Amino acid sequence: MDKIIEYMLAEDEGFGDITSNAVVEEGKTVKAYIVSKDEGILAGNKIIRDLFEEFGIKVTFWMKDGSEISKDDLLMSMQGDARTILLLERTALNLVMRMSGVATAANHYVSLIKDSDVRVAGTRKTSPAIGKFDKYALKVGGADTHRFALDDMVLIKDNHIAACGTPLEALLKAKQNTSFSKKIEIEVESLDDAVECVKNGADIVMLDNMSPDEVKEVIGELEKLNIRQNSLIEVSGGITDETIMDYADLGVDIISIGALTHSSRSLNFSLRME
């Protein structure tokens, strides 16, 4: 994450902040603060505090990650070199605004199913290079991060199956070639494939793009065969805040939502200098 932030700063600075260097006196010390112009859940405050402090800016927290924030809330204040604060401003704000947007979206969906025994999870549909920041924000918002990277667990998706044969063939190959220490999840699109994968020891079976009625049929068949408890059941694909309870009420274990990271709206924050 430090390397990513270093690149972000280099990208934004180019060959130097010619505006600040032209109009701001060198060595001038100022006070500044970040305020919210939005409502939601704060995430990333600690990360940007570390960023400012690394460049010698003294930072004071007023709200911490996970806090509910409202318009005009004071998030942090700082004191230090004016040119440095201006150099870091946009990178810091872009990060904390995006992360807070992801955390807010996650918190929204988690709150919708708070009375259900089901877990909301993100996906790997994150922004390139800043996936770990998105994952941190998901956690702050109360959602499960799912996989951080490809080495976290085996997740057999439609393209793996297309290159291999059938879902069952892919599952059996994974079980043969994977350490016992790694969980194996497989994505299926039909009742028969779901049943076969549960019977053959998949740790997690993802019901992809199934309607609530189709998911209900799968759950019912697994219960009828007395194998429902053998695998965790995850649902994914186009789930919205209008439909999430339709799935949660069916007794699934995990609801994964790519929109938490690929479509969430960044919150709006502002840095103001005295």
Side-chain angles (χ1 to χ4, degrees):
M1 294 171 81
D2 290 340
K3 290 181 179 179
I4 297 299
I5 292 177
E6 182 179 345
Y7 173 78
M8 290 175 177
L9 291 172
E11 179 186 57
D12 197 35
E13 182 179 10
F15 292 104
D17 180 1
I18 61 175
T19 307
S20 296
N21 293 344
V23 303
V24 177
E25 179 185 346
E26 185 177 3
K28 184 177 182 63
T29 298
V30 297
K31 293 180 179 179
Y33 48 95
I34 295 176
V35 297
S36 174
K37 301 170 72 175
D38 228 325
E39 297 179 350
I41 302 297
L42 179 63
N45 227 22
K46 181 181 183 301
I47 291 172
I48 64 167
R49 180 196 66 180
D50 293 346
L51 169 60
F52 279 112
E53 289 185 341
E54 182 179 349
F55 283 82
I57 306 301
K58 182 180 179 182
V59 175
T60 301
F61 268 151
W62 295 105
M63 304 192 79
K64 61 182 181 180
D65 285 353
S67 300
E68 292 187 16
I69 55 177
S70 302
K71 186 176 180 181
D72 296 326
D73 276 349
L74 176 62
L75 307 183
M76 69 168 59
S77 55
M78 62 199 73
Q79 183 172 349
D81 181 71
R83 287 188 180 183
T84 301
I85 292 174
L86 291 167
L87 176 66
L88 304 177
E89 173 185 4
R90 182 43 51 195
T91 297
L93 287 178
N94 285 350
L95 264 179
V96 73
M97 290 193 304
R98 175 177 172 82
M99 293 176 69
S100 297
V102 171
T104 300
N107 180 260
H108 171 68
Y109 279 91
V110 169
S111 66
L112 291 176
I113 54 91
K114 65 181 185 301
D115 296 325
S116 303
D117 188 19
V118 62
R119 181 174 296 186
V120 172
T123 71
R124 282 179 53 250
K125 294 179 180 178
T126 57
S127 286
I130 63 169
K132 287 183 172 62
F133 297 92
D134 283 349
K135 294 291 190 178
Y136 174 85
L138 286 171
K139 184 176 180 180
V140 170
D144 193 282
T145 58
H146 217 293
R147 292 186 299 170
F148 268 80
L150 292 170
D151 62 351
D152 274 353
M153 64 180 290
V154 175
L155 205 172
I156 306 166
K157 298 179 71 67
D158 54 352
N159 286 330
H160 299 107
I161 295 169
C164 175
T166 68
L168 182 57
E169 288 174 327
L171 173 63
L172 295 178
K173 283 186 177 180
K175 289 174 67 68
Q176 180 181 357
N177 296 315
T178 304
S179 168
F180 72 91
S181 63
K182 295 292 185 181
K183 287 188 175 182
I184 299 176
E185 176 171 2
I186 186 164
E187 176 184 289
V188 299
E189 298 179 354
S190 73
L191 169 63
D192 290 342
D193 287 337
V195 171
E196 283 300 308
C197 289
V198 172
K199 281 183 177 179
N200 284 275
D203 295 299
I204 309 163
V205 173
M206 179 195 294
L207 309 181
D208 186 48
N209 286 306
M210 288 192 183
S211 68
D213 287 341
E214 290 172 320
V215 173
K216 182 178 181 180
E217 184 180 11
V218 171
I219 297 290
E221 185 65 18
L222 296 178
E223 291 175 342
K224 179 181 176 182
L225 296 171
N226 197 30
I227 56 174
R228 168 64 184 91
Q229 70 281 1
N230 290 6
S231 304
L232 294 174
I233 301 299
E234 176 177 346
V235 294
S236 184
I239 296 169
T240 67
D241 52 2
E242 287 86 11
T243 62
I244 188 170
M245 283 307 303
D246 295 334
Y247 291 93
D249 289 340
L250 297 175
V252 301
D253 301 295
I254 306 150
I255 299 175
S256 54
I257 305 172
L260 297 181
T261 50
H262 72 61
S263 296
S264 59
R265 178 184 68 84
S266 294
L267 298 192
N268 190 9
F269 300 156
S270 177
L271 187 149
R272 299 173 183 172
M273 188 177 292
E274 291 182 358

